[in-house]
Amino acid sequence: MKHHWQLHLFTILLAGSAGAVSAQDALKEIDFHGFATQSYLYSSENNFFGESSDGSFDFFELGINTLWAPTKKLKLAVQAVARDAGNTDDRSIRLDYGFLEYQLLTTSSSNTGIRVGRVVNPLGFYNESRDVAATRPGTLLPQSIYFDVNRNLALSSDGVFIFHDKFSEQNDLSFQLSIAEPRTRDPDLEPALFGTSRPGSLEGTTSWLGRVLYEHDFGKIRLALTAADLNLEYQPKNDPIIRDGDLSFQPIILSAQYNTEKWELTTEWARRKTELTNLEVLPDWKLAGTSYFLQAAYRISNSLTVQLRYDSLVWDNDDKKGEEFASNPFYPYPGYTRYAKDWTLGLRWDINQHLLISAEVHDIKGTGWLSLLENPNPATMQKDWRLFAVTASVRF
């Protein structure tokens, strides 16, 4: 049975949890929360999360999560989500995360533990809370780092996560490391790799991901380093062309943030190595790309925040404008599908602690993070385009 070792570890942790309380007291330690987000998107050209070139309400998120702490050392966290994002998500209910956490060692200045199950990946600053609009820096995340078209792959993995937190009066340091299998149920993943959907399936294999996060003076300065080696394999089933294939995705992300009473300045930079090998019929390919964003947010008041961001994505550092790629007969796409340069201006209104409205306008050159499912003929996509997005979100 797949992941039987995880189930075995669950049993060990449950059996070894000392200091259990009564069933009645344990039930009192259950917390429920949720969120719902509805967005409207309009683009001058191209489609993003539905037919946005005609105006689209196809971007919707609904989530319910619970945290249960039956003992001081043991926690269970679960989140189920239904999400509509045009052709890149299908509204089906799925488990975003569901894991058991056990505190191995706790002192006055440190905390060490283990999480087992489907756990959110500690990727950069924003991945762990990307679904909750209140924690996002704007209506949409910087797409050069946090690809929404492959959200499930980035969001969480199935495996074992070790964490260690060390804290003092002014400095906090956290370390997380996982050995896990990535989730692969993203409708746009196969078209992005093979140019079209295939009859086979991509499956996650053993991978690792780690992050070190440092915070000074209660988050005034935040620094992080994330590194990963994510591995997938293509299982052809009845595919008449592609008989096999292995995908390796190796990002390194550097993150920095500076906070004051009025300003929040953030930047993240990533270098990505991607390899698709052992395809038998098709040639292998390897490339290294670079992404980064620079972001400034100014708090006009306790409820109003304005934000400016520049976001850059290049898929291949050796072919930054995509000219060599455009000449490849197997991928007859324009060169501007290999990069995206995005200026964003946004405004956020926190009406109260439960309700917010945000809006932003993007001026974009290139289509590097657009979905091929929503733009099936890349030759018709336009290099220069604008995107307007407005979101209303409630959380409880």
Side-chain angles (χ1 to χ4, degrees):
M1 180 179 178
K2 190 177 181 181
H3 306 318
H4 64 279
W5 56 272
Q6 293 183 26
L7 295 175
H8 183 57
L9 189 51
F10 267 113
T11 305
I12 293 175
L13 294 179
L14 285 168
S17 178
V21 296
S22 68
Q24 183 177 2
D25 290 338
L27 290 175
K28 294 179 181 178
E29 301 301 320
I30 301 177
D31 289 329
F32 286 95
H33 297 281
F35 58 88
T37 302
Q38 176 64 64
S39 299
Y40 171 79
L41 299 117
Y42 173 78
S43 56
S44 62
E45 310 287 345
N46 311 319
N47 286 322
F48 183 70
F49 287 167
E51 296 182 0
S52 58
S53 56
D54 294 325
S56 170
F57 285 96
D58 286 351
F59 187 24
F60 174 78
E61 298 167 295
L62 175 64
I64 300 292
N65 57 67
T66 183
L67 177 64
W68 179 37
T71 74
K72 292 182 178 180
K73 290 189 173 184
L74 192 65
K75 296 179 183 178
L76 176 66
V78 177
Q79 176 168 291
V81 165
R83 186 172 183 269
D84 185 10
N87 291 332
T88 65
D89 226 322
D90 59 5
R91 306 183 187 180
S92 61
I93 299 174
R94 71 296 189 92
L95 184 70
D96 262 358
Y97 61 78
F99 62 87
L100 195 69
E101 177 182 303
Y102 185 73
Q103 306 275 340
L104 296 173
L105 180 64
T106 301
T107 71
S108 60
S109 61
S110 67
N111 182 31
T112 303
I114 184 173
R115 299 185 181 109
V116 182
R118 175 165 294 177
V119 185
V120 177
N121 294 321
L123 186 73
F125 280 153
Y126 299 116
N127 195 63
E128 291 165 290
S129 57
R130 65 187 297 165
D131 279 333
V132 183
T135 65
R136 288 199 290 254
T139 302
L140 301 175
L141 286 168
Q143 294 300 298
S144 69
I145 304 288
Y146 304 95
F147 301 107
D148 273 318
V149 293
N150 299 136
R151 168 192 171 277
N152 293 335
L153 177 66
L155 180 65
S156 55
S157 303
D158 299 328
V160 177
F161 290 65
I162 301 292
F163 65 90
H164 176 72
D165 302 322
K166 188 172 181 60
F167 32 86
S168 63
E169 289 186 3
Q170 287 214 319
N171 301 291
D172 296 335
L173 184 67
S174 67
F175 171 78
Q176 297 185 57
L177 177 66
S178 71
I179 304 296
E181 295 182 357
R183 298 167 61 196
T184 59
R185 296 301 179 259
D186 281 308
D188 195 71
L189 189 55
E190 289 178 18
L193 293 174
F194 304 125
T196 183
S197 297
R198 307 301 308 174
S201 63
L202 285 164
E203 301 294 338
T205 60
T206 302
S207 306
W208 67 265
L209 186 149
R211 186 188 67 183
V212 178
L213 173 65
Y214 167 76
E215 297 190 358
H216 172 70
D217 196 10
F218 301 99
K220 183 175 183 178
I221 296 174
R222 304 177 72 220
L223 303 171
L225 169 64
T226 307
D229 183 9
L230 305 180
N231 298 293
L232 292 78
E233 63 180 13
Y234 180 70
Q235 298 181 355
K237 296 182 180 178
N238 297 319
D239 194 323
I241 299 177
I242 302 177
R243 305 307 305 160
D244 203 351
D246 296 304
L247 173 68
S248 174
F249 181 61
Q250 300 169 328
I252 295 177
I253 304 173
L254 300 175
S255 310
Q257 187 176 84
Y258 178 70
N259 287 287
T260 68
E261 182 180 354
K262 291 290 187 180
W263 288 94
E264 180 182 277
L265 307 176
T266 309
T267 183
E268 294 193 273
W269 174 93
R271 186 178 188 273
R272 306 172 315 276
K273 291 177 61 179
T274 308
E275 299 182 4
L276 188 60
T277 58
N278 301 321
L279 293 173
E280 296 186 3
V281 176
L282 302 176
D284 296 348
W285 56 263
K286 303 178 182 181
L287 56 87
T290 301
S291 303
Y292 69 90
F293 70 87
L294 304 169
Q295 178 178 280
Y298 178 74
R299 287 176 277 273
I300 301 172
S301 67
N302 290 335
S303 59
L304 285 178
T305 303
V306 64
Q307 177 182 274
L308 179 66
R309 180 170 69 217
Y310 178 70
D311 191 24
S312 173
L313 164 69
V314 172
W315 278 111
D316 188 351
N317 292 335
D318 295 327
D319 186 25
K320 293 182 178 180
K321 295 184 178 180
E323 295 171 345
E324 182 178 341
F325 179 82
S327 65
N328 187 334
F330 185 73
Y331 293 102
Y333 304 158
Y336 52 78
T337 61
R338 305 300 288 166
Y339 64 86
K341 313 292 183 180
D342 179 8
W343 280 100
T344 303
L345 179 63
L347 181 66
R348 168 172 166 159
W349 178 26
D350 287 274
I351 300 172
N352 54 45
Q353 63 177 340
H354 301 291
L355 181 64
L356 73 85
I357 296 175
S358 63
E360 59 190 34
V361 60
H362 300 248
D363 183 65
I364 309 165
K365 295 186 182 299
T367 62
W369 41 261
L370 287 180
S371 165
L372 292 179
L373 291 177
E374 300 191 316
N375 302 275
N377 184 1
T380 65
M381 290 195 291
Q382 300 299 308
K383 181 179 73 171
D384 299 320
W385 58 294
R386 290 181 175 84
L387 175 66
F388 171 74
V390 60
T391 290
S393 178
V394 61
R395 62 189 186 277
F396 55 89

